[in-house]
Amino acid sequence: MKMERRIAGVIYILITFALVTEMSINVQAKDNNKRRPKDKTGGFQKNICDVSDRDSKVHCYCENTREPRNATKAECWVFNGGIPRDDLIWQSFASQPTLQTLSFNVRVDGALGYVPTKALHFLKNLSSINIRYGNIADVTSFAFANLTNLTDITLSQNQIENLQQYSFAHLPNITLINLEDNMILEISTEVFFDLPKLHKLVFTKNNISSIRDGAFLHTFNLLELDLNKNNIIHLRRRTFDGLANLRKLDLRRNRIYNLTEYTFAELWNLQELLLGKNDLKYISERAFDGLSQLRKLSLDDNKLVTLPAHLFEGVRGLSSLDLRSNELHALTFDNIKPILDNLKPQNSNLLLEENNFVCDCRLKWMHLLRNDTKSQNTRQSLESVTCKMDPPIVSSAYNKMSDVIENKIKFNQEILHAGITIETLNDKMNITEKKTIPEELNKEQSNGIPVTKKVTKRFVLKIPPENLPCLRDAETTTEAPTFIVDPVIPIQNEMKTYRFQETNTAYRLSFNLSVVLWCCLAFFFT
Ligand SMILES: *[C@@H]1O[C@H](CO)[C@@H](O)[C@H](O)[C@H]1NC(C)=O
Ligand SMILES: *[C@@H]1O[C@H](CO)[C@@H](O)[C@H](O)[C@H]1NC(C)=O
Ligand SMILES: *[C@@H]1O[C@H](CO)[C@@H](O)[C@H](O)[C@H]1NC(C)=O
Ligand SMILES: *[C@@H]1O[C@H](CO)[C@@H](O)[C@H](O)[C@H]1NC(C)=O
Ligand SMILES: *[C@@H]1O[C@H](CO)[C@@H](O)[C@H](O)[C@H]1NC(C)=O
Ligand SMILES: *[C@@H]1O[C@H](CO)[C@@H](O)[C@H](O)[C@H]1NC(C)=O
Ligand SMILES: *[C@@H]1O[C@H](CO)[C@@H](O)[C@H](O)[C@H]1NC(C)=O
Ligand SMILES: *[C@@H]1O[C@H](CO)[C@@H](O)[C@H](O)[C@H]1NC(C)=O
Ligand SMILES: *[C@@H]1O[C@H](CO)[C@@H](O)[C@H](O)[C@H]1NC(C)=O
């Protein structure tokens, strides 16, 4: 048996070798007959690893050997303009059918406008292909020749705009497809088809604005989907259908502003969801429902002003939550309760810096968690969380932030006329006028809260919990006021309602009085 197979193998090799040699002889003969101009084509080469023709548009350097039928790894450069799809150069790859790793680097004077399927046909043992700097506008159907041993495809920086139906299809061993840094606009259905082992799909740095419902229906073993740095605005309920095994979903740096209910409901196994650096303003209370395995959620660098009270009830396994750099004015005990216990072990994470928290008793739980958590990150973050004493004035100043950056002086005067300064803002913008505030003022007391130079922005944990003022009937419940619960009401209206309700409290009255008094004193001293 063995002997027979070996003989058959040898015969096969001999026949192929004879064919290849004959082809090359034919081509050479043709060339000799025609006597130029030959630079229209890449031309046939009898061994792609040993190209002596200086005009060839493809030159490959092979590891181990330059013998035909023995190279396992080839690095090819593409020179001298474009190559027709059916150019004979692609047939030259038949000379090295044992190749397992193949890469194409397109040089500045070269061009490669397609995946060279004609070459891949001969490379039944190929496991890895990498093409860089091409101008492959379209990836066509079955571009990878149904190669059974292919495990990874990397097509970064090829100006790809369009993935046709079945671009990546019938590749039984493919585990990685990397399409980083292209210009892909849309992911439509059946682009990825019959890829039972595909584990990782990378679309980082493209221009994807549309993902068709069911686009991932045939990638059911995908573990990691990377859509970082695209142009995605809407995610729909069926966008991620089929990804029941996904572990990590990276949606950072897109333009998502509204997370609707059940968006991720199909992702039963998702452990990591990254939504940082989007434009998120609205999150439905049920947006994360179904994510029972989620451990890590990042929502940093968004525009969140408030979170629905029961947002985290569907993600009770969450132990890492990043909410930094939002505009949150509160994070209530109700918000955090479903995951509070997960935030105590050493490797947990709760990051909250750079928000617009208002100093009130809804933040009391931070004291508790600071004392209970074994996580150094969480403790450090809690210790740097700041809050503001005077929400209406300060938030109106914050609403003008964008103008401010363009017009520091105007902003500065507004703040001074309001009789207050904001420490971090001033520090950020190098506004130094606050130093003119008389020393005595800093020692003034307001409702039992010591007023220092940093009147409006304080570290939450430096305020004793019993001194955190409470909104109307918030003392006992620490619940968010009811208007925060409905996520669909536009935030601006919420804010107005919020301010209106708040001005009715005793705390607000006394604080206003102190601000007025302070204005007068400031005026007196100048
Ligand atoms: C092929 O390469 C191997 C080493 O990788 C070498 O031992 C063998 O002699 C080579 N075969 C031919 C025909 O050159
Ligand atoms: C493919 O590679 C395997 C080893 O990985 C080798 O045994 C086999 O002969 C190769 N097949 C071809 C057609 O080169
Ligand atoms: C694919 O890889 C396997 C295992 O490495 C090998 O036995 C086989 O010959 C390769 N080629 C094809 C065409 O499957
Ligand atoms: C790949 O397989 C599909 C389905 O069997 C077939 O339609 C297609 O022609 C094949 N393509 C190539 C390039 O082999
Ligand atoms: C690729 O998948 C086929 C089944 O379609 C299998 O027979 C083959 O051995 C696999 N090759 C490798 C390298 O795993
Ligand atoms: C991205 O796509 C949009 C259309 O969706 C287009 O207007 C824009 O020019 C594209 N950006 C780049 C860098 O190609
Ligand atoms: C968010 O999306 C939901 C569902 O599409 C819609 O009903 C709601 O009006 C949207 N909210 C905003 C503020 O666009
Ligand atoms: C936290 O610990 C400090 C000192 O260890 C203690 O004074 C304070 O009462 C504790 N706070 C809470 C809310 O348990
Ligand atoms: C503030 O001043 C420091 C040096 O005093 C400088 O490094 C920093 O860039 C300045 N920041 C702004 C926002 O101007």
Side-chain angles (χ1 to χ4, degrees):
M1 257 318 264
K2 250 193 180 152
M3 200 58 194
E4 268 174 33
R5 244 155 94 196
R6 199 165 282 170
I7 291 170
V10 170
I11 290 173
Y12 170 74
I13 289 172
L14 284 176
I15 290 174
T16 321
F17 188 61
L19 276 176
V20 168
T21 318
E22 204 200 38
M23 272 157 100
S24 78
I25 289 167
N26 283 348
V27 170
Q28 274 168 3
K30 233 196 217 151
D31 261 11
N32 288 343
N33 289 349
K34 272 204 292 183
R35 274 233 133 316
R36 305 288 88 85
K38 78 171 188 185
D39 51 346
K40 274 276 169 273
T41 70
F44 186 80
Q45 308 291 331
K46 74 178 173 209
N47 179 1
I48 195 65
C49 291
D50 191 13
V51 174
S52 47
D53 180 357
R54 303 182 83 220
D55 291 336
S56 175
K57 296 193 173 187
V58 179
H59 283 263
C60 299
Y61 297 86
C62 301
E63 219 165 70
N64 297 334
T65 176
R66 289 176 153 191
E67 295 297 322
R69 312 200 50 78
N70 211 1
T72 54
K73 183 174 180 187
E75 251 180 84
C76 301
W77 276 264
V78 178
F79 304 90
N80 294 335
I83 309 172
R85 263 173 205 266
D86 52 0
D87 194 281
L88 288 173
I89 190 78
W90 303 124
Q91 291 195 23
S92 317
F93 282 83
S95 63
Q96 294 291 1
T98 53
L99 280 176
Q100 291 171 6
T101 305
L102 174 62
S103 67
F104 288 99
N105 280 293
V106 182
R107 304 295 303 257
V108 275
D109 65 338
L112 185 57
Y114 50 90
V115 175
T117 313
K118 287 239 152 62
L120 301 185
H121 268 302
F122 301 105
L123 309 178
K124 299 294 186 205
N125 251 3
L126 198 66
S127 75
S128 171
I129 177 146
N130 183 345
I131 303 176
R132 260 190 307 178
Y133 312 125
N135 54 328
I136 307 174
D138 283 270
V139 179
T140 52
S141 303
F142 311 113
F144 298 92
N146 303 347
L147 289 176
T148 55
N149 273 8
L150 204 55
T151 61
D152 57 84
I153 296 174
T154 301
L155 297 177
S156 48
Q157 294 179 277
N158 284 295
Q159 301 171 44
I160 299 168
E161 283 172 19
N162 183 31
L163 305 175
Q164 293 183 359
Q165 191 187 30
Y166 306 127
S167 293
F168 303 88
H170 305 304
L171 302 169
N173 290 305
I174 200 81
T175 60
L176 166 71
I177 296 175
N178 183 349
L179 294 163
E180 195 169 333
D181 204 351
N182 281 290
M183 288 145 58
I184 298 167
L185 293 164
E186 182 187 67
I187 307 177
S188 45
T189 55
E190 296 183 329
V191 167
F192 303 96
F193 193 81
D194 185 21
L195 309 169
K197 291 191 182 164
L198 185 63
H199 287 163
K200 185 168 175 181
L201 187 46
V202 180
F203 285 107
T204 305
K205 232 177 156 199
N206 275 276
N207 194 10
I208 296 164
S209 56
S210 155
I211 301 176
R212 288 293 167 89
D213 287 348
F216 302 111
L217 268 180
H218 302 281
T219 55
F220 45 83
N221 281 318
L222 203 61
L223 301 178
E224 190 172 340
L225 175 59
D226 189 340
L227 290 160
N228 188 354
K229 249 187 163 185
N230 275 281
N231 208 0
I232 301 168
I233 299 176
H234 297 293
L235 296 173
R236 283 179 310 272
R237 197 188 273 208
R238 302 210 45 218
T239 301
F240 298 116
D241 271 15
L243 295 175
N245 286 299
L246 201 69
R247 302 291 150 85
K248 178 175 176 183
L249 176 57
D250 188 345
L251 287 162
R252 286 175 297 166
R253 296 184 177 82
N254 278 282
R255 294 166 51 204
I256 304 162
Y257 73 97
N258 182 1
L259 275 190
T260 56
E261 49 189 14
Y262 310 119
T263 303
F264 307 106
E266 293 289 318
L267 307 176
W268 307 315
N269 279 299
L270 199 69
Q271 295 176 357
E272 206 172 315
L273 175 57
L274 308 181
L275 285 161
K277 298 190 167 63
N278 276 281
D279 296 330
L280 276 174
K281 241 179 170 160
Y282 312 95
I283 300 188
S284 152
E285 188 154 41
R286 322 219 61 172
F288 300 129
D289 274 24
L291 294 173
S292 58
Q293 302 297 311
L294 200 69
R295 302 273 171 276
K296 177 173 178 178
L297 174 62
S298 76
L299 292 164
D300 54 296
D301 286 287
N302 278 289
K303 299 187 173 139
L304 297 167
V305 176
T306 177
L307 296 180
H310 306 291
L311 182 63
F312 300 127
E313 266 174 19
V315 284
R316 289 175 167 269
L318 205 60
S319 59
S320 176
L321 174 61
D322 188 349
L323 283 164
R324 283 176 295 182
S325 300
N326 276 282
E327 292 156 26
L328 290 171
H329 61 252
L331 189 63
T332 65
F333 185 67
D334 271 9
N335 285 149
I336 219 77
K337 197 165 55 180
I339 60 167
L340 190 64
D341 284 336
N342 310 338
L343 299 172
K344 294 175 182 172
Q346 199 170 358
N347 55 358
S348 63
N349 258 315
L350 175 66
L351 307 176
L352 298 174
E353 294 101 311
E354 302 287 323
N355 273 288
N356 286 355
F357 291 123
V358 176
C359 302
D360 65 40
C361 59
R362 290 174 298 176
L363 305 182
K364 256 184 189 170
W365 60 270
M366 290 186 185
H367 282 274
L368 239 137
L369 182 59
R370 190 260 316 255
N371 279 15
D372 284 357
T373 187
K374 293 190 173 64
S375 158
Q376 194 162 346
N377 287 349
T378 302
R379 207 174 320 127
Q380 272 171 8
S381 174
L382 287 173
E383 277 164 7
S384 12
V385 174
T386 55
C387 62
K388 291 176 209 142
M389 301 305 294
D390 187 16
I393 296 172
V394 173
S395 38
S396 64
Y398 256 69
N399 290 343
K400 286 176 187 136
M401 268 295 277
S402 45
D403 304 347
V404 163
I405 289 156
E406 290 150 21
N407 190 353
K408 279 188 197 175
I409 296 162
K410 187 173 154 229
F411 165 75
N412 190 19
Q413 279 172 355
E414 269 184 51
I415 294 290
L416 285 175
H417 286 161
I420 57 171
T421 54
I422 301 172
E423 181 208 24
T424 30
L425 264 184
N426 288 350
D427 286 352
K428 264 186 194 161
M429 293 173 177
N430 290 346
I431 297 170
T432 51
E433 280 84 343
K434 68 174 175 182
K435 301 217 167 72
T436 60
I437 297 171
E439 269 299 302
E440 299 91 293
L441 278 177
N442 298 339
K443 292 177 187 128
E444 201 180 346
Q445 299 277 313
S446 163
N447 199 27
I449 300 160
V451 180
T452 65
K453 205 143 107 183
K454 299 147 191 171
V455 228
T456 54
K457 219 158 182 196
R458 311 274 312 272
F459 292 111
V460 176
L461 293 184
K462 293 255 166 80
I463 308 173
E466 62 275 15
N467 285 359
L468 281 166
C470 269
L471 299 182
R472 167 190 48 86
D473 68 29
E475 176 93 75
T476 47
T477 64
T478 73
E479 266 186 42
T482 42
F483 56 83
I484 289 179
V485 174
D486 186 345
V488 180
I489 296 176
I491 305 295
Q492 291 308 323
N493 289 345
E494 283 180 25
M495 285 301 289
K496 278 178 204 143
T497 321
Y498 177 69
R499 285 176 210 158
F500 175 72
Q501 290 184 350
E502 227 201 9
T503 30
N504 294 334
T505 68
Y507 149 62
R508 281 284 313 125
L509 275 174
S510 70
F511 197 80
N512 272 357
L513 274 175
S514 79
V515 168
V516 170
L517 184 69
W518 186 22
C519 284
C520 300
L521 280 171
F523 182 74
F524 178 77
F525 275 97
T526 47

